[in-house]
Amino acid sequence: MSRVLSGVGGRVGEEVQVERGPLGPAQFWRGQSRYVVGELLDSWVETVPWWQRGAGVTGGASAELVAGREVWRVEAVRAGRSRMSFAGVFDLSWESADNRWSLVRVHD
């Protein structure tokens, strides 16, 4: 089961600071808390749904297909805690258009 952040210590699209390694996020910060990525579980690219694309978008169809966000599903633990008992699964996204990282989902 997963839950989208809202009213549980975060919000949908909560901006986070990410240090990126060679394969994806290596660690990230939510406020003052640092989380260390232990394992990269999955990654994918999401494009904007066709019904949300603006009529005034420039760059043609190929630009619309490339625009979007990269998402990484990672297992991470708050720094200083045991991975065996405190690991969580997080979806982090990088939006190329905004050049920003977001925490978009926490999985139970």
Side-chain angles (χ1 to χ4, degrees), residues 45-46 63 66-70 93-101:
V45 175
E46 295 178 348
V66 173
R69 67 181 183 180
E70 298 175 46
S93 73
W94 182 71
E95 309 233 6
S96 57
D98 299 334
N99 193 24
R100 89 179 194 131
W101 285 93

mmCIF file of all heavy atoms in Angstrom, residues 45-46 63 66-70 93-101:
data_model
loop_
_atom_site.group_PDB
_atom_site.id
_atom_site.type_symbol
_atom_site.label_atom_id
_atom_site.label_comp_id
_atom_site.label_asym_id
_atom_site.label_seq_id
_atom_site.Cartn_x
_atom_site.Cartn_y
_atom_site.Cartn_z
ATOM 1 N N VAL A 45 10.199 7.484 -16.431
ATOM 2 C CA VAL A 45 9.931 8.857 -16.870
ATOM 3 C C VAL A 45 8.433 9.012 -17.055
ATOM 4 O O VAL A 45 7.783 8.159 -17.654
ATOM 5 C CB VAL A 45 10.665 9.172 -18.193
ATOM 6 C CG1 VAL A 45 10.291 10.544 -18.719
ATOM 7 C CG2 VAL A 45 12.168 9.053 -18.004
ATOM 8 N N GLU A 46 7.888 10.073 -16.510
ATOM 9 C CA GLU A 46 6.476 10.388 -16.684
ATOM 10 C C GLU A 46 6.354 11.627 -17.553
ATOM 11 O O GLU A 46 7.050 12.608 -17.338
ATOM 12 C CB GLU A 46 5.812 10.658 -15.334
ATOM 13 C CG GLU A 46 5.764 9.458 -14.430
ATOM 14 C CD GLU A 46 5.143 9.752 -13.080
ATOM 15 O OE1 GLU A 46 4.945 10.934 -12.726
ATOM 16 O OE2 GLU A 46 4.860 8.777 -12.353
ATOM 17 N N ALA A 63 9.006 17.718 -28.399
ATOM 18 C CA ALA A 63 9.313 18.445 -27.171
ATOM 19 C C ALA A 63 8.334 18.067 -26.070
ATOM 20 O O ALA A 63 8.712 17.943 -24.905
ATOM 21 C CB ALA A 63 9.267 19.954 -27.416
ATOM 22 N N VAL A 66 9.348 14.644 -24.577
ATOM 23 C CA VAL A 66 10.547 14.695 -23.758
ATOM 24 C C VAL A 66 10.274 15.389 -22.432
ATOM 25 O O VAL A 66 10.796 14.994 -21.395
ATOM 26 C CB VAL A 66 11.695 15.405 -24.510
ATOM 27 C CG1 VAL A 66 12.887 15.611 -23.603
ATOM 28 C CG2 VAL A 66 12.078 14.598 -25.737
ATOM 29 N N ALA A 67 9.438 16.435 -22.449
ATOM 30 C CA ALA A 67 9.138 17.187 -21.233
ATOM 31 C C ALA A 67 8.437 16.265 -20.241
ATOM 32 O O ALA A 67 7.669 15.397 -20.615
ATOM 33 C CB ALA A 67 8.260 18.385 -21.558
ATOM 34 N N GLY A 68 8.706 16.471 -18.994
ATOM 35 C CA GLY A 68 8.079 15.666 -17.970
ATOM 36 C C GLY A 68 8.971 15.572 -16.764
ATOM 37 O O GLY A 68 9.749 16.484 -16.483
ATOM 38 N N ARG A 69 8.874 14.439 -16.081
ATOM 39 C CA ARG A 69 9.699 14.276 -14.895
ATOM 40 C C ARG A 69 10.242 12.861 -14.809
ATOM 41 O O ARG A 69 9.626 11.910 -15.272
ATOM 42 C CB ARG A 69 8.921 14.632 -13.638
ATOM 43 C CG ARG A 69 7.793 13.698 -13.311
ATOM 44 C CD ARG A 69 7.077 14.173 -12.072
ATOM 45 N NE ARG A 69 6.022 13.264 -11.679
ATOM 46 C CZ ARG A 69 5.248 13.433 -10.650
ATOM 47 N NH1 ARG A 69 5.409 14.505 -9.888
ATOM 48 N NH2 ARG A 69 4.312 12.569 -10.348
ATOM 49 N N GLU A 70 11.429 12.766 -14.215
ATOM 50 C CA GLU A 70 12.045 11.482 -13.941
ATOM 51 C C GLU A 70 11.681 11.115 -12.513
ATOM 52 O O GLU A 70 11.704 11.964 -11.620
ATOM 53 C CB GLU A 70 13.560 11.579 -14.068
ATOM 54 C CG GLU A 70 14.032 11.946 -15.458
ATOM 55 C CD GLU A 70 15.528 12.147 -15.506
ATOM 56 O OE1 GLU A 70 16.272 11.317 -14.947
ATOM 57 O OE2 GLU A 70 15.942 13.155 -16.087
ATOM 58 N N SER A 93 11.081 12.726 -7.454
ATOM 59 C CA SER A 93 11.020 13.103 -8.870
ATOM 60 C C SER A 93 11.856 14.343 -9.125
ATOM 61 O O SER A 93 11.995 15.211 -8.265
ATOM 62 C CB SER A 93 9.571 13.351 -9.307
ATOM 63 O OG SER A 93 9.084 14.568 -8.786
ATOM 64 N N TRP A 94 12.397 14.379 -10.328
ATOM 65 C CA TRP A 94 13.144 15.545 -10.792
ATOM 66 C C TRP A 94 12.419 16.090 -12.010
ATOM 67 O O TRP A 94 12.227 15.390 -13.005
ATOM 68 C CB TRP A 94 14.575 15.181 -11.162
ATOM 69 C CG TRP A 94 15.363 16.377 -11.597
ATOM 70 C CD1 TRP A 94 15.803 17.402 -10.814
ATOM 71 C CD2 TRP A 94 15.791 16.690 -12.919
ATOM 72 N NE1 TRP A 94 16.478 18.324 -11.560
ATOM 73 C CE2 TRP A 94 16.477 17.914 -12.865
ATOM 74 C CE3 TRP A 94 15.641 16.054 -14.148
ATOM 75 C CZ2 TRP A 94 17.030 18.514 -13.986
ATOM 76 C CZ3 TRP A 94 16.201 16.658 -15.265
ATOM 77 C CH2 TRP A 94 16.885 17.870 -15.181
ATOM 78 N N GLU A 95 11.983 17.333 -11.905
ATOM 79 C CA GLU A 95 11.258 17.997 -12.995
ATOM 80 C C GLU A 95 12.249 18.847 -13.767
ATOM 81 O O GLU A 95 12.768 19.838 -13.247
ATOM 82 C CB GLU A 95 10.131 18.856 -12.428
ATOM 83 C CG GLU A 95 9.265 18.090 -11.459
ATOM 84 C CD GLU A 95 7.793 18.147 -11.774
ATOM 85 O OE1 GLU A 95 7.433 18.699 -12.827
ATOM 86 O OE2 GLU A 95 7.033 17.623 -10.970
ATOM 87 N N SER A 96 12.515 18.442 -14.995
ATOM 88 C CA SER A 96 13.513 19.146 -15.796
ATOM 89 C C SER A 96 13.085 20.574 -16.113
ATOM 90 O O SER A 96 13.912 21.472 -16.137
ATOM 91 C CB SER A 96 13.803 18.377 -17.084
ATOM 92 O OG SER A 96 12.621 18.181 -17.822
ATOM 93 N N ALA A 97 11.801 20.793 -16.338
ATOM 94 C CA ALA A 97 11.330 22.140 -16.686
ATOM 95 C C ALA A 97 11.548 23.126 -15.542
ATOM 96 O O ALA A 97 11.885 24.281 -15.769
ATOM 97 C CB ALA A 97 9.850 22.100 -17.066
ATOM 98 N N ASP A 98 11.370 22.663 -14.295
ATOM 99 C CA ASP A 98 11.516 23.525 -13.123
ATOM 100 C C ASP A 98 12.873 23.376 -12.450
ATOM 101 O O ASP A 98 13.190 24.121 -11.530
ATOM 102 C CB ASP A 98 10.431 23.209 -12.087
ATOM 103 C CG ASP A 98 9.038 23.445 -12.609
ATOM 104 O OD1 ASP A 98 8.873 24.284 -13.520
ATOM 105 O OD2 ASP A 98 8.099 22.782 -12.114
ATOM 106 N N ASN A 99 13.654 22.370 -12.882
ATOM 107 C CA ASN A 99 14.944 22.066 -12.277
ATOM 108 C C ASN A 99 14.800 21.923 -10.765
ATOM 109 O O ASN A 99 15.507 22.560 -9.991
ATOM 110 C CB ASN A 99 15.985 23.135 -12.622
ATOM 111 C CG ASN A 99 17.389 22.684 -12.280
ATOM 112 O OD1 ASN A 99 17.669 21.496 -12.203
ATOM 113 N ND2 ASN A 99 18.263 23.643 -12.056
ATOM 114 N N ARG A 100 13.839 21.058 -10.355
ATOM 115 C CA ARG A 100 13.609 20.875 -8.925
ATOM 116 C C ARG A 100 13.267 19.431 -8.600
ATOM 117 O O ARG A 100 12.683 18.709 -9.407
ATOM 118 C CB ARG A 100 12.532 21.823 -8.418
ATOM 119 C CG ARG A 100 11.157 21.333 -8.489
ATOM 120 C CD ARG A 100 10.153 22.344 -7.947
ATOM 121 N NE ARG A 100 8.902 21.623 -7.752
ATOM 122 C CZ ARG A 100 8.187 21.660 -6.667
ATOM 123 N NH1 ARG A 100 8.539 22.441 -5.680
ATOM 124 N NH2 ARG A 100 7.099 20.950 -6.558
ATOM 125 N N TRP A 101 13.638 19.027 -7.392
ATOM 126 C CA TRP A 101 13.351 17.702 -6.867
ATOM 127 C C TRP A 101 12.143 17.772 -5.953
ATOM 128 O O TRP A 101 11.979 18.731 -5.207
ATOM 129 C CB TRP A 101 14.537 17.201 -6.063
ATOM 130 C CG TRP A 101 15.691 16.749 -6.891
ATOM 131 C CD1 TRP A 101 16.757 17.514 -7.273
ATOM 132 C CD2 TRP A 101 15.908 15.449 -7.411
ATOM 133 N NE1 TRP A 101 17.624 16.761 -8.024
ATOM 134 C CE2 TRP A 101 17.134 15.483 -8.105
ATOM 135 C CE3 TRP A 101 15.206 14.248 -7.352
ATOM 136 C CZ2 TRP A 101 17.664 14.365 -8.750
ATOM 137 C CZ3 TRP A 101 15.728 13.141 -7.978
ATOM 138 C CH2 TRP A 101 16.945 13.207 -8.666
#
